[in-house]
Amino acid sequence: MTTPASPRQPATKRGRETREAILRAAEEVIGARGFAAASIADITRAAGIAQGTFYIYFDGKEQVFRELVAEMGRFTRRTISEAVADTPDRLAAERIGLRTFLEIAATRPTLYSIVEEARFVDPPSYDAYFTGFARNYARNLEAAAKEGTIRPGNPEIRAWALMGLAVTLGERYGQRNPGADRDAVVAEVFDMLERGLRP
């Protein structure tokens, strides 16, 4: 991909609605067909706008793709933060956070696919998505260890390990299997996390 340009933010309500329509159409089209197979014509047709209108808001398909990856990061962080806001301790926050993430993967499978594809289509966006998560995650784990609600340990390694677990489970029991019993998945995971694998 070329050097990222900053997305243009419309000043009017109508402009914001049009830009949002383009993003939702791009999520649907790119998420279903993949980046290479999706065209701007496909996106504008799905959005119900003229092709020229697309370029008022975005320079090209690459910029839309990057915006969708960043949007998934913002949406996921916000949704999980709200879900865990009133939890009594870190373990409860981890449990609810995982359950929430599985729900996101099940209900936004196309956006989830776009993040996965970013690994190959736009590695800097992919890296930014996960390193941003990991930084905040490690900070929260370090704070919980200082408060004594979890055992001390390397917060960065723990953050990446827990993220890897969530991503894999999100793909298997959310995106690819939206009818899965997500409560049972979370219960099994936390039985393992809290008690370990030792008999």
Side-chain angles (χ1 to χ4, degrees):
M1 280 194 173
T2 56
T3 303
S6 298
R8 293 181 286 281
Q9 299 298 331
T12 66
K13 181 173 185 260
R14 182 177 177 187
R16 289 190 293 273
E17 288 171 351
T18 301
R19 187 177 188 279
E20 180 67 15
I22 293 169
L23 285 169
R24 297 289 64 79
E27 177 184 344
E28 175 189 331
V29 172
I30 297 173
R33 301 181 191 181
F35 179 81
S39 70
I40 290 173
D42 295 329
I43 293 167
T44 55
R45 191 164 37 252
I49 62 168
Q51 194 164 335
T53 304
F54 176 94
Y55 294 100
I56 296 171
Y57 302 94
F58 298 99
D59 293 334
K61 187 172 66 167
E62 295 84 358
Q63 192 179 55
V64 172
F65 186 87
R66 281 191 293 268
E67 179 65 15
L68 288 171
V69 174
E71 182 184 86
M72 179 61 163
R74 291 189 300 269
F75 171 74
T76 303
R77 283 192 293 271
R78 183 178 65 249
T79 304
I80 293 175
S81 292
E82 290 171 357
V84 305
D86 296 324
T87 52
D89 57 44
R90 189 67 221 171
L91 284 174
E94 291 294 330
R95 182 183 292 269
I96 292 171
L98 177 59
R99 179 64 175 78
T100 303
F101 182 77
L102 295 179
E103 194 69 24
I104 291 168
T107 56
R108 300 291 295 274
T110 52
L111 201 53
Y112 194 88
S113 294
I114 287 167
V115 172
E116 290 182 322
E117 192 176 13
R119 177 197 299 257
F120 310 103
V121 173
D122 189 20
S125 291
Y126 182 84
D127 291 343
Y129 176 90
F130 283 105
T131 55
F133 265 107
R135 192 165 39 249
N136 292 332
Y137 208 156
R139 197 176 301 127
N140 290 335
L141 291 170
E142 186 173 23
K146 286 178 180 174
E147 292 165 2
T149 60
I150 62 171
R151 287 193 300 109
N154 186 307
E156 181 183 356
I157 293 172
R158 287 178 168 187
W160 282 99
L162 290 167
M163 282 167 41
L165 189 78
V167 167
T168 304
L169 292 169
E171 181 181 349
R172 176 67 182 88
Y173 296 107
Q175 179 196 27
R176 300 189 187 281
N177 188 7
D181 184 346
R182 290 185 279 281
D183 291 325
V185 172
V186 171
E188 184 65 30
V189 168
F190 274 83
D191 178 68
M192 180 181 72
L193 286 178
E194 292 176 342
R195 299 172 60 193
L197 295 175
R198 196 180 298 278

